Amino acid sequence: MNLEKIMTDLEKKHPGEAEYLQAVREVLESIQDVYNENPQFESAHIIERLVEPDRILTFKVCWTDDNGNVQVNQGYRVQFNNAIGPYKGGLRFHPSVNLSILKFLGFEQIFKNSLTTLPMGGAKGGSDFDPKGKSNAEVMRFCQAFMLELWKVIGPETDVPAGDIGVGGREIGFLYGMYKKLARENTGVLTGKGLNWGGSLIRPEATGFGAVYFAEEMLKTKNQSLKGKTVAISGFGNVAWGAATKATELGAKVVTISGPDGYIYDPDGISGEKIDYMLELRASNQDIVKPYSYEYPNAKFHQGKRPWEVKCDIAMPCATQNELDKKDAELLIKNGVFCVTEVANMPCTPEAMEVFLDSKILYGPSKAVNAGGVATSGLEMSQNAMKLSWPKEEVDQRLHHIMKSIHESCEKYGKGKDGYVNYVKGANVAGFLKVANAMLDQGIL
Ligand code: NDP
Ligand code: 2IT
């Protein structure tokens, strides 16, 4: 594989798509060896076929706000690869959404979904719509207008969207309602549905729970556990909530959460009703964490700062891409962090990742760590297909089992001669091999 040539060609073809190019480079660097050892991949041009999405749908979303003004947003669905199952991946509603971000997320989703052991291909979609400050009725009208276009390309056996930043239970409800009306069917076309209309128990918690189960497996390799560990978390959305809940349940102390306004340091630990308060804050539509320090005066708000300056054993970035850079990584290491698990998608910059790998700490990449979310979406699809619903314990047990198996795959392909497990390499190679072999089996498409 001529990595630099592939990257130069891709940069020429897709100039300025920084996040997408970053995600591709990371995977190609990891899989180089296994790719070169298997000439059948090169002769079938697997890389060239894998780095380009199968297709991208872009569309205009017109809707009317509460003041009667017409609003126009951009909508997207990137169907990346369906070698091992129907396209599967979330929808992100955030003003920063553009094609580069959705292509990076869709590309990552291929390997993540492959790791889950379930038959799901990779996709992502969304819009530059900003849910912040919008009324319920506005969110509903936007979701309905978005689905008016999207429904043509999705279906329970073709492409199954779900949530991501800015898309939670409320949005999935509005989207599903419109899909059902247009397609005249009541099927598992979206995941993250309401629990009383086809949703799976544990799906809301699954990304965070899965991430903590993965961290537990990593710690076990060092004869350690979460008990008594101090954890720094960023973000205060759905994923941060699930991670804080499970980490606390397993005996860790979560001391930070963060928002675009800064971070909260709570020396007493963010547990119990404080975790519920985090959800209230998120639902308040203001997008700030500062009010936490009024509610719990022992906690301190640090304006405009990120939580990576606090002393912690475990860091769990749960907000967004590239939110932890080289300086943050060096500071975390200096302060004694020994385990970093990426719960958001690609939260560490390539330079930060290098610092963690060079330091040989336990470092779990997002594809592996946060795969519990989409894995539980896969379990929701199975339940919908069987027209059954599993009890909470069963879903949780399956999720736990899947996270253990992802950890095993990472160890299998990521363990070096010195015994250090490079989980980045492990996740990329394991995810890649399954998809690449499926592509070989299915011919040139
Ligand atoms: P939410 O919308 O619930 O929360 C994301 C949170 O991060 C928001 O509070 C957001 O605020 C905040 N945020 C964004 N940028 C920053 C920043 N620079 N500093 C601090 N906070 C910031 O989304 P989720 O919890 O669902 O998603 C969080 C991450 O997890 C994303 O990377 C997502 O892709 C990933 N993920 C989600 C899964 C899911 O099932 N939901 C599954 C797997 C991964 P603001 O809106 O103002 O930017
Ligand atoms: O990034 C992700 O894996 C998600 N947002 C969840 C996708 C899904 O289909 O459940």
Side-chain angles (χ1 to χ4, degrees):
M1 177 199 306
N2 187 342
L3 184 108
E4 288 315 320
K5 178 163 178 349
I6 295 173
M7 289 312 301
T8 311
D9 290 350
L10 219 51
E11 277 157 27
K12 258 195 218 136
K13 216 160 140 192
H14 305 291
E17 295 192 358
E19 294 85 359
Y20 160 65
L21 295 165
Q22 177 185 339
V24 171
R25 178 179 281 278
E26 184 216 287
V27 170
L28 298 192
E29 279 176 354
S30 297
I31 62 165
Q32 260 187 104
D33 292 348
V34 69
Y35 195 78
N36 293 335
E37 284 157 16
N38 291 276
Q40 69 274 24
F41 293 148
E42 181 85 45
S43 46
H45 284 232
I46 293 290
I47 290 298
E48 290 80 351
R49 289 160 58 199
L50 201 52
V51 297
E52 287 294 340
D54 288 350
R55 66 193 63 79
I56 300 174
L57 173 72
T58 70
F59 51 92
K60 183 178 71 183
V61 187
C62 303
W63 56 283
T64 308
D65 69 21
D66 287 347
N67 298 320
N69 297 319
V70 175
Q71 301 286 340
V72 185
N73 286 100
Q74 193 66 32
Y76 308 87
R77 185 72 179 164
V78 180
Q79 295 182 331
F80 229 112
N81 184 292
N82 65 352
I84 61 168
Y87 299 109
K88 179 85 194 87
L91 297 171
R92 177 177 290 193
F93 292 169
H94 195 271
S96 64
V97 162
N98 58 34
L99 208 47
S100 170
I101 289 181
L102 296 180
K103 279 171 68 181
F104 118 65
L105 289 162
F107 182 70
E108 295 262 302
Q109 201 82 40
I110 305 171
F111 308 99
K112 184 196 303 192
N113 293 3
S114 163
L115 284 170
T116 63
T117 71
L118 303 173
M120 298 183 290
K124 200 80 186 192
S127 172
D128 58 359
F129 171 74
D130 186 0
K132 197 188 309 174
K134 302 289 189 300
S135 70
N136 251 337
E138 287 176 323
V139 171
M140 180 182 77
R141 286 196 294 275
F142 173 80
C143 289
Q144 292 177 339
F146 183 87
M147 190 50 89
L148 220 42
E149 284 295 326
L150 186 71
W151 82 281
K152 298 168 194 163
V153 299
I154 61 173
E157 304 297 340
T158 48
D159 184 352
V160 184
D164 192 78
I165 291 181
V167 179
R170 174 182 62 168
E171 291 74 20
I172 294 292
F174 294 145
L175 291 163
Y176 184 76
M178 194 59 167
Y179 176 84
K180 190 180 73 164
K181 201 172 172 78
L182 292 163
R184 296 194 295 158
E185 61 179 37
N186 220 323
T187 56
V189 74
L190 290 155
T191 56
K193 297 186 288 298
L195 299 181
N196 49 353
W197 45 275
S200 174
L201 288 160
I202 301 284
R203 177 63 188 90
E205 299 91 328
T207 310
F209 277 24
V212 174
Y213 294 151
F214 194 87
E216 228 189 352
E217 293 303 306
M218 292 169 86
L219 291 168
K220 264 194 219 162
T221 66
K222 303 274 175 211
N223 295 319
Q224 302 253 16
S225 75
L226 276 142
K227 219 175 167 69
K229 301 288 184 304
T230 302
V231 181
I233 283 183
S234 64
F236 69 117
N238 167 264
V239 166
W241 162 72
T245 305
K246 186 53 85 178
T248 306
E249 193 187 306
L250 296 183
K253 181 154 96 170
V254 176
V255 291
T256 64
I257 51 169
S258 74
D261 55 334
Y263 79 90
I264 291 287
Y265 176 71
D266 185 341
D268 302 334
I270 300 166
S271 60
E273 61 157 48
K274 296 173 177 174
I275 297 180
D276 299 335
Y277 179 71
M278 187 199 312
L279 279 190
E280 253 176 68
L281 263 182
R282 187 75 186 122
S284 72
N285 235 356
Q286 289 183 56
D287 221 17
I288 48 173
V289 288
K290 192 176 180 181
Y292 184 105
S293 60
Y294 308 141
E295 196 75 16
Y296 303 102
N298 262 358
K300 194 164 168 0
F301 173 64
H302 297 262
Q303 180 132 14
K305 296 232 168 132
R306 302 197 269 211
W308 315 128
E309 59 187 24
V310 308
K311 194 170 162 42
C312 62
D313 304 309
I314 301 170
M316 303 187 91
C318 294
T320 194
Q321 65 274 358
N322 292 326
E323 54 158 313
L324 196 162
D325 62 20
K326 185 178 181 193
K327 265 201 191 134
D328 298 322
E330 285 169 346
L331 196 54
L332 278 166
I333 295 283
K334 195 173 139 225
N335 284 331
V337 81
F338 70 89
C339 176
V340 177
T341 53
E342 295 188 331
V343 197
N345 283 307
M346 204 170 76
C348 298
T349 63
E351 298 77 24
M353 180 185 293
E354 211 177 307
V355 170
F356 293 137
L357 290 175
D358 286 349
S359 309
K360 305 238 163 179
I361 60 159
L362 296 170
Y363 173 56
S366 48
K367 287 184 193 77
V369 172
N370 73 28
V374 72
T376 308
S377 278
L379 300 178
E380 183 169 323
M381 288 163 72
S382 306
Q383 293 169 78
N384 292 161
M386 291 189 294
K387 307 210 181 300
L388 279 176
S389 93
W390 291 327
K392 196 169 151 185
E393 295 71 24
E394 180 162 359
V395 181
D396 195 30
Q397 200 183 9
R398 285 177 187 267
L399 168 64
H400 206 147
H401 180 77
I402 288 171
M403 296 317 296
K404 280 186 177 181
S405 112
I406 297 175
H407 185 269
E408 275 167 25
S409 301
C410 290
E411 272 197 308
K412 179 171 172 193
Y413 293 104
K415 203 177 218 159
K417 287 196 185 97
D418 60 356
Y420 176 66
V421 180
N422 180 334
Y423 287 88
V424 178
K425 181 174 179 200
N428 285 334
V429 172
F432 167 76
L433 281 176
K434 185 170 165 190
V435 175
N437 285 321
M439 287 170 76
L440 284 182
D441 291 346
Q442 293 169 16
I444 311 298
L445 297 166

